[in-house]
Amino acid sequence: MERKSAAGSIRNKERSKKKFLDAVGKILKTKGYAGLKVNDIATTAGVDKKMIYTYFGGIDGLIDEYIRSQDYWINATTDKTDKILPDIKDGGESFIKEMLLSQFDYVYTNKEAQKLLLWSLSEPRKSLKKLIDTQEENGEHIFKYIFHPYFKGNSEDFRAIMAIMVSGLYYLNMFASVNGSVFCGLDMNSPEGRERVKRAISFMVGQTYENLNTQED
C-alpha cells in the first residue's frame, strides 16, 4: 500500500507541475510576460499557489523550467549533436541547413517562443539570461566540433554569417506575427513567401560552404 501511495504521489506531483508549466504558456500567449503573476498562474493551473514554491522554489524557478522546455536551441542538446558527429561527411552543411529550416518553422508556429523572444529583448531577467547563456553554450559545442574543423581559419566568418541568418529568421517571424506580414514584398504568412525564404536559406548556406571552404579538393 505504501509503495502504491508513493507512486500515486509522484504522479500527482508531475501532473501538477505540468499544469503550472502549461499555465505559464497560456498566460504568456494571451497576456505576455507581464501577466505572469503567482495568483494568475495558480488560478489558470487550478492548483494551490503554495505548490509553486514546493515544486519550483518560487515563480522564478517555475519560469526557468518553462523556458528550458520551450527553447529550440536548448532542445537541440549536445547529446544529440554528439550522436550525429560520426555521420557528418559534408562539414555540417546538411546539418546546419536542416537546423535553420526547422528553426524558421518552429518560431513561426510557436507563439510562446515568439513571446519569449520579445521578453528577452524587453526586460533583463536572470532566467532569460540563463536561457541566452545556455543557447550560447550549446551553439559553441556545435561550432567547436562540427564547423571549426571544417572552416579552420574562416570559422569566425562562418560565425558571423550564422549570426545574421539566425537573427534574420527570428525577425521575419516576429514581424509576421506582430506587425504585419509583408517584408521586402514577400508575404511571410503565405506558403509561397515562406518557401522563397527557405530556398534562400538553402542558397546562402550553399554559398557559404562554397566560398569559405578551406579543405583541399
Side-chain angles (χ1 to χ4, degrees):
M1 293 295 291
E2 290 181 358
R3 190 172 300 171
K4 289 183 180 179
S5 178
S9 178
I10 292 172
R11 285 195 296 271
N12 288 336
K13 176 181 178 180
E14 292 306 312
R15 280 195 294 266
S16 294
K17 288 180 68 174
K18 186 177 186 306
K19 287 180 179 178
F20 280 128
L21 293 168
D22 290 344
V24 171
K26 290 177 182 177
I27 293 172
L28 194 60
K29 284 192 292 186
T30 57
K31 298 181 180 180
Y33 61 86
L36 294 175
K37 310 297 184 184
V38 171
N39 289 337
D40 291 342
I41 293 172
T43 299
T44 302
V47 182
D48 190 328
K49 67 180 181 181
K50 293 179 181 178
M51 304 314 292
I52 292 177
Y53 300 92
T54 301
Y55 296 150
F56 304 98
I59 190 169
D60 282 341
L62 169 58
I63 291 173
D64 283 348
E65 187 158 336
Y66 170 79
I67 288 172
R68 285 193 296 269
S69 73
Q70 290 296 311
D71 184 68
Y72 177 81
W73 288 99
I74 289 178
N75 290 334
T77 62
T78 54
D79 287 343
K80 291 180 183 177
T81 306
D82 286 338
K83 291 177 182 178
I84 68 168
L85 283 176
D87 299 326
I88 291 178
K89 309 295 183 184
D90 59 357
E93 181 176 356
S94 299
F95 171 76
I96 193 62
K97 188 182 297 182
E98 180 183 354
M99 181 168 281
L100 290 170
L101 291 170
S102 297
Q103 185 189 35
F104 185 54
D105 285 337
Y106 175 84
V107 175
Y108 181 70
T109 58
N110 192 315
K111 301 302 180 184
E112 295 164 65
Q114 294 172 15
K115 295 292 186 180
L116 283 171
L117 284 170
L118 283 174
W119 192 3
S120 68
L121 293 172
S122 305
E123 181 185 66
R125 185 183 179 88
K126 288 183 179 180
S127 57
L128 292 170
K129 181 63 166 58
K130 288 181 182 178
L131 165 65
I132 295 168
D133 289 345
T134 305
Q135 288 174 330
E136 283 297 309
E137 289 172 7
N138 286 353
E140 186 60 31
H141 182 89
I142 295 171
F143 278 115
K144 181 178 179 181
Y145 290 101
I146 298 178
F147 304 125
H148 281 197
Y150 184 79
F151 288 105
K152 297 183 178 178
N154 290 331
S155 61
E156 296 303 306
D157 291 329
F158 179 77
R159 284 177 181 265
I161 292 169
M162 288 302 105
I164 293 170
M165 290 186 69
V166 171
S167 60
L169 297 181
Y170 279 156
Y171 183 80
L172 286 177
N173 281 319
M174 299 302 296
F175 182 86
S177 176
V178 176
N179 228 11
S181 60
V182 178
F183 194 89
C184 289
L186 297 176
D187 186 347
M188 291 298 109
N189 285 322
S190 73
E192 294 81 6
R194 296 188 66 78
E195 183 58 35
R196 286 190 179 277
V197 172
K198 289 181 179 181
R199 290 203 297 268
I201 292 170
S202 297
F203 173 79
M204 287 187 284
V205 171
Q207 288 295 302
T208 298
Y209 271 78
E210 181 177 338
N211 289 283
L212 289 187
N213 180 17
T214 61
Q215 304 296 305
E216 295 181 357
D217 295 332

